[in-house]
Amino acid sequence: MDPHLLRTFVAVSRCGSFSEAARELGYTQSAVSQHIATLESDLGASLLLRRPVAPTEVGVRLLEHAGPLLLRLDAARADIARLTAAPASRIVIGLSPLALSPRFVRTLADLRQAQPRLDVTVRLLGREAVAREVAARAVDLGLVDGIAAPNDPLHLADVGPLTALAVTEQPLAVALPARHPLAGRAGLRLVDLTDARWIDAPDTAIPLAHLRTASGSEGYRASLRYEGTDLHALNALIASGHGLALLPQSSIDGVPGISTVPLAAPRLVHRTEALHSSPPGTPPALLAAALAAATG
């Protein structure tokens, strides 16, 4: 039995009219009549009374089979369509820990709402790894942070042609234990902290090597090295008195046991940039553009 003919038979039986079934199915009335005649010829039985239009006893029995048969056909079509449909868009995002900001989370949520089939993976990476992984196509979009003069780009390793867009610029602050002698100051100059006890956390806080470059002086020796990417762990080490760290003000405000003092000099900001090498209109390019637009 041709399922198209079976659908026509079910529609005529339900409507009680050849013309009404034709309107519902989008056929001409003569086409509907031809469908029924062909089905009756195939089965060798009369299926419909013509005046009034109603199923015969054989037609009633066929209707009992037709509903489940057509339902399974529809289910099979939907299942195959699902299996053969284009795969959901996929994006792998690599971030340095301080780039995982509320703005990023909100913007990613907006993109996923607009593209509900988007398959998202987020990886926390060390700063040096972000640009390298984007260039190697191991991640589709990278967000990396660091220090720079206001409105200046980050000085990243040359790993090839990448699109870099500014995402955020925030004030920097020195994070100290709450009872540190310098806590409560209005501001601190980096050059005055060369001999302080520092925590070297190159993938989380601003690396000590960057402090030496920014201040143009040696020093900034580590009393402890932290090789993780967990900001909460770093904050716990600072609060326990293991050393200082330079961080964006927003990441340490209100953290128990930590006092924050704004960086007064040199004039630097904490900057986050989005890196990608994807064509316009793809999820990485769209997310990068949305993050950059939010900056404005």
Side-chain angles (χ1 to χ4, degrees):
M1 290 176 288
D2 186 326
H4 295 291
L5 305 183
L6 200 57
R7 289 186 191 280
T8 300
F9 167 66
V10 171
V12 173
S13 299
R14 185 180 67 253
C15 295
S17 165
F18 279 72
S19 59
E20 186 63 31
R23 281 192 291 272
E24 180 180 295
L25 297 171
Y27 298 145
T28 63
Q29 185 171 335
S30 61
V32 168
S33 298
Q34 184 61 42
H35 284 188
I36 299 301
T38 303
L39 185 59
E40 288 178 328
S41 175
D42 180 29
L43 296 175
S46 175
L47 300 175
L48 289 169
L49 300 171
R50 287 350 191 228
R51 284 191 172 85
V53 176
T56 63
E57 183 178 351
V58 175
V60 170
R61 180 58 61 86
L62 180 58
L63 285 172
E64 293 174 2
H65 293 285
L69 285 171
L70 293 174
L71 180 60
R72 288 302 300 269
L73 284 170
D74 289 341
R77 181 179 292 277
D79 204 24
I80 296 303
R82 177 183 61 82
L83 292 172
T84 58
S89 298
R90 182 172 183 267
I91 181 173
V92 180
I93 305 167
L95 310 96
S96 54
L98 293 178
L100 186 56
S101 65
R103 173 177 292 176
F104 163 74
V105 174
R106 290 193 302 270
T107 307
L108 178 60
D110 292 341
L111 179 63
R112 297 189 69 194
Q113 185 174 9
Q115 299 189 33
R117 288 179 57 82
L118 188 63
D119 181 8
V120 179
T121 299
V122 176
R123 296 177 185 164
L124 278 183
L125 302 170
R127 285 191 181 89
E128 297 298 324
V130 175
R132 184 173 66 246
E133 294 289 276
V134 174
R137 303 295 180 94
V139 302
D140 304 300
L141 176 69
L143 275 86
V144 63
D145 73 288
I147 56 173
N151 301 314
D152 277 1
L154 294 176
H155 297 290
L156 302 174
D158 185 6
V159 293
L162 297 177
T163 298
L165 298 172
V167 173
T168 61
E169 283 194 1
Q170 303 180 66
L172 285 159
V174 181
L176 314 97
R179 296 186 179 181
H180 193 281
L182 297 177
R185 295 284 188 92
L188 286 170
R189 299 188 308 162
L190 200 54
V191 72
D192 295 333
L193 300 172
T194 55
D195 296 326
R197 288 163 48 89
W198 288 90
I199 295 176
D200 189 16
D203 288 329
T204 312
I206 304 303
L208 298 187
H210 294 186
L211 303 191
R212 298 183 194 107
T213 300
S215 66
S217 60
E218 295 300 320
Y220 309 100
R221 302 303 174 190
S223 65
L224 181 146
R225 181 174 174 85
Y226 173 62
E227 295 182 346
T229 57
D230 185 345
L231 182 58
H232 296 291
L234 175 61
N235 286 339
L237 292 170
I238 297 169
S240 298
H242 291 284
L244 317 183
L246 186 64
L247 292 160
Q249 179 93 41
S250 61
S251 70
I252 42 178
D253 275 343
V255 176
I258 291 182
S259 175
T260 62
V261 179
L263 182 67
R267 190 164 174 260
L268 297 171
V269 293
H270 177 263
R271 181 179 173 96
T272 301
E273 294 182 0
L275 311 175
H276 73 92
S277 58
S278 300
T282 57
L286 290 172
L287 182 55
L291 287 166
T295 303

